[in-house]
Amino acid sequence: MQALVLNLATSTDRMAFQRRQLDRLGLSYLRIEAATPQTLDPPEGDPVWQRWQRPMSDVEKAILVSHRLAWHRVVEADAPHLILEDDAWLSGRATDLLARLGPMTGLDHVSLETRGRTKIIGRAPHPDCPGIRRLYQDRTGAAAYVVWPSGANKLLARSSREAGIADAVICAAYEMSSWQAVPALAIQLDQADHYGVSSPLITQSSILSKPKPVRETRALTFRARRIKAQLRMGLRMLGALPHADRVEVAPADLSADH
């Protein structure tokens, strides 16, 4: 399975990290030039950017556009791909799971990542792949996931109607058949301290490094959208709980994987 690495031209240290990591794991990869606030498509000012639960920063918009570039590539290639943000740290165990996932059908999306928050996942493993369980509700994280052409088409359709931060778009796509690697096989490098491992590269989140956009006068509109999204999430969780659990998925050991 090929990896698509989302990377800014200026982030040469991150790309060097990804090359070392993917070469070590024996995974082929293609670098996708990440979008910037200057290369947004649609451009700044398009109404689609005003349809989320709060105003989006230019960096958040660029990250979504970068993921959309990868989704288009998946559709064009007509094959599942591993999508990686350039600060995703993979477990050495990821190779085996990716090999099993490659020929599988009936899936849209598999999250490899954990990020210190709970997820709603099924109690039973997939009958043909014990390393994954049904993912009913994620909360955050778009740094490492596998997406099939069917899932990429669904994400492209959703994000063209209603833009949002990339992980929120993925987490809200209940129309997808989504699954979770258990244990998780990836974290972002900024989560190394949380999981008690030494990061092979010091990074700073491009989102956290930028100030949040100023709240607009349409605060009530954004608040109503957020309440609607929370209600939708609550109904989703209630429907899943009879056959699922709310857990923080632990990562596989990463201490030797750099």
Side-chain angles (χ1 to χ4, degrees):
M1 183 183 296
Q2 186 178 55
L4 302 177
V5 182
L6 309 181
N7 172 252
L8 287 167
T10 54
S11 297
T12 55
D13 55 344
R14 292 188 179 201
M15 194 61 217
F17 166 72
Q18 288 298 332
R19 288 192 185 99
R20 291 193 302 270
Q21 169 173 254
L22 295 169
D23 286 345
R24 186 185 71 250
L25 295 175
L27 296 174
S28 65
Y29 57 90
L30 177 68
R31 177 180 173 273
I32 301 290
E33 177 72 29
T36 70
Q38 292 73 41
T39 60
L40 292 179
D41 181 21
E44 176 66 31
D46 190 284
V48 72
W49 298 120
Q50 300 300 320
R51 294 175 185 160
W52 197 48
Q53 302 165 33
R54 61 162 172 78
M56 295 174 64
S57 72
D58 289 344
V59 170
E60 289 171 331
K61 295 171 187 176
I63 292 172
L64 176 63
V65 172
S66 300
H67 282 268
R68 282 179 55 86
L69 291 172
W71 300 338
H72 278 294
R73 177 78 184 187
V74 171
V75 172
E76 291 166 2
D78 195 27
H81 284 68
L82 170 63
I83 313 298
L84 294 175
E85 293 182 349
D86 59 10
D87 60 346
W89 183 5
L90 293 170
S91 165
R93 295 171 58 178
T95 307
D96 291 340
L97 180 64
L98 293 173
R100 298 194 67 164
L101 292 177
M104 290 182 67
T105 59
L107 309 180
D108 288 322
H109 161 260
V110 174
S111 173
L112 302 188
E113 183 182 5
T114 189
R115 193 177 169 82
R117 300 188 71 179
T118 58
K119 305 179 183 228
I120 306 295
I121 61 171
R123 298 189 184 105
H126 191 289
D128 299 321
C129 186
I132 61 173
R133 298 188 187 186
R134 188 74 166 88
L135 176 59
Y136 293 99
Q137 183 64 65
D138 208 343
R139 300 296 297 278
T140 187
Y145 60 95
V146 176
V147 67
W148 278 255
S150 57
N153 272 318
K154 292 171 184 177
L155 291 170
L156 286 167
R158 171 171 286 276
S159 57
S160 67
R161 296 191 307 267
E162 181 180 316
I165 61 174
D167 51 1
V169 170
I170 296 171
C171 293
Y174 299 156
E175 62 271 26
M176 291 199 302
S177 175
S178 288
W179 298 75
Q180 170 68 45
V182 181
L185 300 177
I187 64 170
Q188 281 184 283
L189 291 170
D190 67 356
Q191 292 295 294
D193 286 346
H194 177 80
Y195 290 108
V197 290
S198 177
S199 174
L201 179 69
I202 303 302
T203 65
Q204 182 179 21
S205 168
S206 58
I207 291 180
L208 296 178
S209 64
K210 303 294 183 182
K212 294 289 184 184
V214 176
R215 296 285 179 181
E216 298 185 0
T217 56
R218 296 179 298 156
L220 289 178
T221 299
F222 288 119
R223 183 177 298 177
R225 290 176 186 165
R226 182 167 182 81
I227 291 172
K228 180 181 177 181
Q230 292 294 319
L231 288 172
R232 183 171 179 262
M233 185 184 299
L235 290 172
R236 172 75 167 181
M237 294 166 66
L238 285 173
L241 284 177
H243 43 271
D245 293 312
R246 183 173 183 168
V247 297
E248 180 179 340
V249 181
D253 182 23
L254 291 159
S255 59
D257 291 326
H258 62 88

Short mmCIF file of all heavy atoms in Angstrom, two decimals, residues 146-187:
data_model
loop_
_atom_site.label_atom_id
_atom_site.label_comp_id
_atom_site.label_asym_id
_atom_site.label_seq_id
_atom_site.Cartn_x
_atom_site.Cartn_y
_atom_site.Cartn_z
N VAL A 146 -6.00 5.10 6.76
CA VAL A 146 -6.14 4.48 5.44
C VAL A 146 -7.52 4.85 4.91
O VAL A 146 -8.51 4.80 5.64
CB VAL A 146 -6.00 2.95 5.53
CG1 VAL A 146 -6.24 2.31 4.15
CG2 VAL A 146 -4.63 2.57 6.06
N VAL A 147 -7.57 5.24 3.64
CA VAL A 147 -8.86 5.55 3.03
C VAL A 147 -8.95 4.84 1.68
O VAL A 147 -7.98 4.79 0.93
CB VAL A 147 -9.08 7.07 2.90
CG1 VAL A 147 -8.13 7.71 1.91
CG2 VAL A 147 -10.52 7.38 2.52
N TRP A 148 -10.11 4.26 1.44
CA TRP A 148 -10.41 3.60 0.17
C TRP A 148 -11.06 4.61 -0.77
O TRP A 148 -11.56 5.65 -0.32
CB TRP A 148 -11.36 2.42 0.41
CG TRP A 148 -10.68 1.18 0.87
CD1 TRP A 148 -10.43 0.04 0.14
CD2 TRP A 148 -10.15 0.90 2.19
NE1 TRP A 148 -9.79 -0.91 0.91
CE2 TRP A 148 -9.59 -0.40 2.18
CE3 TRP A 148 -10.09 1.64 3.38
CZ2 TRP A 148 -9.00 -0.98 3.29
CZ3 TRP A 148 -9.49 1.07 4.49
CH2 TRP A 148 -8.95 -0.22 4.44
N PRO A 149 -11.07 4.35 -2.07
CA PRO A 149 -11.71 5.29 -3.00
C PRO A 149 -13.15 5.62 -2.61
O PRO A 149 -13.59 6.77 -2.75
CB PRO A 149 -11.62 4.57 -4.34
CG PRO A 149 -10.40 3.71 -4.22
CD PRO A 149 -10.38 3.25 -2.79
N SER A 150 -13.88 4.62 -2.14
CA SER A 150 -15.27 4.87 -1.72
C SER A 150 -15.32 5.88 -0.58
O SER A 150 -16.17 6.79 -0.56
CB SER A 150 -15.93 3.56 -1.29
OG SER A 150 -15.17 2.94 -0.25
N GLY A 151 -14.41 5.74 0.38
CA GLY A 151 -14.36 6.68 1.49
C GLY A 151 -13.90 8.05 1.05
O GLY A 151 -14.42 9.08 1.51
N ALA A 152 -12.91 8.09 0.15
CA ALA A 152 -12.41 9.38 -0.34
C ALA A 152 -13.52 10.13 -1.06
O ALA A 152 -13.66 11.36 -0.89
CB ALA A 152 -11.22 9.15 -1.27
N ASN A 153 -14.33 9.44 -1.85
CA ASN A 153 -15.44 10.10 -2.53
C ASN A 153 -16.45 10.67 -1.52
O ASN A 153 -16.97 11.78 -1.71
CB ASN A 153 -16.15 9.13 -3.47
CG ASN A 153 -15.53 9.09 -4.86
OD1 ASN A 153 -15.19 10.12 -5.42
ND2 ASN A 153 -15.38 7.90 -5.42
N LYS A 154 -16.71 9.93 -0.47
CA LYS A 154 -17.64 10.42 0.56
C LYS A 154 -17.08 11.64 1.28
O LYS A 154 -17.82 12.60 1.57
CB LYS A 154 -17.96 9.30 1.54
CG LYS A 154 -18.77 8.16 0.93
CD LYS A 154 -18.89 6.97 1.86
CE LYS A 154 -19.63 5.82 1.17
NZ LYS A 154 -19.71 4.59 2.01
N LEU A 155 -15.78 11.63 1.57
CA LEU A 155 -15.16 12.77 2.24
C LEU A 155 -15.11 14.00 1.34
O LEU A 155 -15.30 15.13 1.79
CB LEU A 155 -13.76 12.39 2.72
CG LEU A 155 -13.73 11.37 3.86
CD1 LEU A 155 -12.31 10.87 4.09
CD2 LEU A 155 -14.28 11.99 5.15
N LEU A 156 -14.85 13.78 0.06
CA LEU A 156 -14.85 14.90 -0.89
C LEU A 156 -16.24 15.51 -1.00
O LEU A 156 -16.39 16.74 -1.02
CB LEU A 156 -14.36 14.43 -2.26
CG LEU A 156 -12.86 14.16 -2.37
CD1 LEU A 156 -12.54 13.39 -3.66
CD2 LEU A 156 -12.07 15.47 -2.33
N ALA A 157 -17.25 14.67 -1.05
CA ALA A 157 -18.62 15.19 -1.15
C ALA A 157 -18.99 15.97 0.10
O ALA A 157 -19.55 17.07 0.03
CB ALA A 157 -19.60 14.03 -1.38
N ARG A 158 -18.67 15.40 1.27
CA ARG A 158 -19.01 16.08 2.53
C ARG A 158 -18.29 17.41 2.65
O ARG A 158 -18.90 18.43 3.00
CB ARG A 158 -18.68 15.17 3.71
CG ARG A 158 -18.78 15.84 5.08
CD ARG A 158 -18.66 14.85 6.21
NE ARG A 158 -19.90 14.07 6.33
CZ ARG A 158 -20.97 14.47 6.99
NH1 ARG A 158 -20.99 15.65 7.60
NH2 ARG A 158 -22.05 13.72 7.07
N SER A 159 -16.99 17.44 2.39
CA SER A 159 -16.21 18.66 2.58
C SER A 159 -16.51 19.72 1.53
O SER A 159 -16.24 20.90 1.76
CB SER A 159 -14.72 18.34 2.59
OG SER A 159 -14.31 17.70 1.41
N SER A 160 -17.04 19.32 0.38
CA SER A 160 -17.42 20.32 -0.62
C SER A 160 -18.72 21.02 -0.24
O SER A 160 -18.96 22.16 -0.63
CB SER A 160 -17.55 19.67 -2.00
OG SER A 160 -18.64 18.76 -2.03
N ARG A 161 -19.55 20.33 0.53
CA ARG A 161 -20.80 20.94 1.01
C ARG A 161 -20.58 21.79 2.24
O ARG A 161 -21.20 22.84 2.41
CB ARG A 161 -21.84 19.86 1.36
CG ARG A 161 -22.31 18.99 0.22
CD ARG A 161 -23.51 18.16 0.66
NE ARG A 161 -23.25 17.40 1.88
CZ ARG A 161 -22.79 16.14 1.90
NH1 ARG A 161 -22.50 15.53 0.75
NH2 ARG A 161 -22.61 15.52 3.04
N GLU A 162 -19.70 21.30 3.12
CA GLU A 162 -19.55 21.92 4.45
C GLU A 162 -18.11 21.73 4.91
O GLU A 162 -17.75 20.68 5.43
CB GLU A 162 -20.52 21.25 5.43
CG GLU A 162 -20.48 21.80 6.83
CD GLU A 162 -21.47 21.09 7.74
OE1 GLU A 162 -22.61 20.86 7.31
OE2 GLU A 162 -21.08 20.75 8.87
N ALA A 163 -17.30 22.74 4.67
CA ALA A 163 -15.91 22.66 5.09
C ALA A 163 -15.81 22.66 6.62
O ALA A 163 -16.71 23.11 7.32
CB ALA A 163 -15.12 23.84 4.52
N GLY A 164 -14.71 22.14 7.12
CA GLY A 164 -14.44 22.12 8.55
C GLY A 164 -13.00 21.72 8.73
O GLY A 164 -12.30 21.43 7.76
N ILE A 165 -12.52 21.69 9.98
CA ILE A 165 -11.16 21.20 10.16
C ILE A 165 -11.12 19.73 9.74
O ILE A 165 -12.12 19.02 9.85
CB ILE A 165 -10.66 21.42 11.60
CG1 ILE A 165 -11.52 20.66 12.61
CG2 ILE A 165 -10.62 22.90 11.94
CD1 ILE A 165 -10.96 20.74 14.03
N ALA A 166 -9.98 19.29 9.23
CA ALA A 166 -9.91 17.99 8.56
C ALA A 166 -10.39 16.84 9.44
O ALA A 166 -11.17 15.98 8.99
CB ALA A 166 -8.49 17.74 8.08
N ASP A 167 -9.94 16.80 10.69
CA ASP A 167 -10.34 15.67 11.52
C ASP A 167 -11.83 15.72 11.86
O ASP A 167 -12.48 14.68 11.99
CB ASP A 167 -9.48 15.54 12.78
CG ASP A 167 -9.35 16.83 13.56
OD1 ASP A 167 -9.95 17.85 13.16
OD2 ASP A 167 -8.63 16.81 14.58
N ALA A 168 -12.39 16.92 11.96
CA ALA A 168 -13.83 17.03 12.22
C ALA A 168 -14.64 16.52 11.03
O ALA A 168 -15.68 15.87 11.20
CB ALA A 168 -14.20 18.47 12.53
N VAL A 169 -14.19 16.81 9.82
CA VAL A 169 -14.87 16.31 8.63
C VAL A 169 -14.87 14.79 8.63
O VAL A 169 -15.89 14.14 8.37
CB VAL A 169 -14.20 16.86 7.35
CG1 VAL A 169 -14.72 16.15 6.11
CG2 VAL A 169 -14.42 18.36 7.23
N ILE A 170 -13.72 14.19 8.94
CA ILE A 170 -13.61 12.73 8.95
C ILE A 170 -14.48 12.13 10.06
O ILE A 170 -15.22 11.17 9.84
CB ILE A 170 -12.15 12.30 9.12
CG1 ILE A 170 -11.32 12.75 7.91
CG2 ILE A 170 -12.03 10.79 9.29
CD1 ILE A 170 -9.82 12.58 8.08
N CYS A 171 -14.40 12.72 11.26
CA CYS A 171 -15.14 12.18 12.40
C CYS A 171 -16.65 12.27 12.20
O CYS A 171 -17.40 11.46 12.76
CB CYS A 171 -14.74 12.91 13.68
SG CYS A 171 -13.04 12.63 14.20
N ALA A 172 -17.11 13.27 11.45
CA ALA A 172 -18.54 13.46 11.25
C ALA A 172 -19.10 12.65 10.10
O ALA A 172 -20.32 12.62 9.89
CB ALA A 172 -18.84 14.94 11.01
N ALA A 173 -18.25 11.96 9.36
CA ALA A 173 -18.69 11.23 8.16
C ALA A 173 -19.25 9.86 8.54
O ALA A 173 -18.65 8.81 8.27
CB ALA A 173 -17.53 11.11 7.17
N TYR A 174 -20.42 9.85 9.16
CA TYR A 174 -21.03 8.60 9.60
C TYR A 174 -21.46 7.74 8.42
O TYR A 174 -21.78 6.55 8.60
CB TYR A 174 -22.25 8.89 10.48
CG TYR A 174 -21.95 9.67 11.74
CD1 TYR A 174 -22.95 10.42 12.37
CD2 TYR A 174 -20.68 9.65 12.32
CE1 TYR A 174 -22.70 11.12 13.53
CE2 TYR A 174 -20.42 10.37 13.48
CZ TYR A 174 -21.44 11.10 14.08
OH TYR A 174 -21.18 11.82 15.22
N GLU A 175 -21.48 8.32 7.23
CA GLU A 175 -21.82 7.53 6.05
C GLU A 175 -20.71 6.56 5.66
O GLU A 175 -20.91 5.68 4.83
CB GLU A 175 -22.14 8.46 4.88
CG GLU A 175 -20.99 9.35 4.42
CD GLU A 175 -20.90 10.69 5.13
OE1 GLU A 175 -21.38 10.77 6.30
OE2 GLU A 175 -20.37 11.64 4.55
N MET A 176 -19.52 6.73 6.27
CA MET A 176 -18.41 5.83 5.98
C MET A 176 -18.44 4.59 6.88
O MET A 176 -18.90 4.65 8.02
CB MET A 176 -17.07 6.54 6.18
CG MET A 176 -16.75 7.62 5.19
SD MET A 176 -14.97 8.01 5.15
CE MET A 176 -14.64 8.50 6.85
N SER A 177 -17.92 3.50 6.35
CA SER A 177 -17.62 2.33 7.17
C SER A 177 -16.22 2.54 7.74
O SER A 177 -15.21 2.27 7.08
CB SER A 177 -17.67 1.06 6.32
OG SER A 177 -17.25 -0.07 7.08
N SER A 178 -16.18 3.06 8.96
CA SER A 178 -14.92 3.44 9.59
C SER A 178 -14.51 2.41 10.64
O SER A 178 -15.35 1.87 11.37
CB SER A 178 -15.03 4.82 10.26
OG SER A 178 -15.08 5.84 9.29
N TRP A 179 -13.18 2.20 10.75
CA TRP A 179 -12.61 1.22 11.66
C TRP A 179 -11.41 1.81 12.36
O TRP A 179 -10.83 2.81 11.90
CB TRP A 179 -12.24 -0.07 10.90
CG TRP A 179 -13.44 -0.73 10.28
CD1 TRP A 179 -14.12 -0.32 9.17
CD2 TRP A 179 -14.13 -1.88 10.78
NE1 TRP A 179 -15.19 -1.14 8.93
CE2 TRP A 179 -15.22 -2.11 9.91
CE3 TRP A 179 -13.92 -2.73 11.85
CZ2 TRP A 179 -16.10 -3.16 10.08
CZ3 TRP A 179 -14.79 -3.80 12.02
CH2 TRP A 179 -15.87 -4.00 11.15
N GLN A 180 -11.02 1.21 13.48
CA GLN A 180 -9.91 1.69 14.29
C GLN A 180 -8.90 0.58 14.52
O GLN A 180 -9.27 -0.54 14.88
CB GLN A 180 -10.43 2.18 15.65
CG GLN A 180 -9.36 2.50 16.68
CD GLN A 180 -8.52 3.70 16.30
OE1 GLN A 180 -9.06 4.73 15.87
NE2 GLN A 180 -7.20 3.62 16.47
N ALA A 181 -7.62 0.89 14.32
CA ALA A 181 -6.56 -0.06 14.67
C ALA A 181 -6.46 -0.16 16.19
O ALA A 181 -6.40 0.85 16.88
CB ALA A 181 -5.23 0.40 14.09
N VAL A 182 -6.46 -1.38 16.70
CA VAL A 182 -6.35 -1.63 18.15
C VAL A 182 -5.28 -2.70 18.36
O VAL A 182 -5.45 -3.84 17.92
CB VAL A 182 -7.70 -2.10 18.73
CG1 VAL A 182 -7.56 -2.34 20.24
CG2 VAL A 182 -8.80 -1.09 18.45
N PRO A 183 -4.14 -2.36 19.02
CA PRO A 183 -3.80 -1.02 19.51
C PRO A 183 -3.58 -0.05 18.37
O PRO A 183 -3.39 -0.45 17.22
CB PRO A 183 -2.50 -1.29 20.30
CG PRO A 183 -1.87 -2.44 19.58
CD PRO A 183 -3.03 -3.32 19.19
N ALA A 184 -3.57 1.24 18.71
CA ALA A 184 -3.30 2.25 17.70
C ALA A 184 -1.86 2.11 17.22
O ALA A 184 -0.96 1.77 17.99
CB ALA A 184 -3.53 3.65 18.27
N LEU A 185 -1.65 2.40 15.94
CA LEU A 185 -0.33 2.19 15.34
C LEU A 185 0.33 3.50 14.92
O LEU A 185 1.30 3.48 14.15
CB LEU A 185 -0.45 1.24 14.15
CG LEU A 185 -1.00 -0.15 14.48
CD1 LEU A 185 -1.14 -0.99 13.22
CD2 LEU A 185 -0.10 -0.86 15.50
N ALA A 186 -0.19 4.62 15.43
CA ALA A 186 0.41 5.91 15.10
C ALA A 186 0.01 6.95 16.14
O ALA A 186 -1.09 6.89 16.70
CB ALA A 186 -0.02 6.38 13.71
N ILE A 187 0.92 7.87 16.37
CA ILE A 187 0.62 9.09 17.12
C ILE A 187 1.26 10.25 16.36
O ILE A 187 2.14 10.04 15.53
CB ILE A 187 1.15 9.06 18.57
CG1 ILE A 187 2.68 8.99 18.59
CG2 ILE A 187 0.52 7.92 19.37
CD1 ILE A 187 3.29 9.19 19.99
#
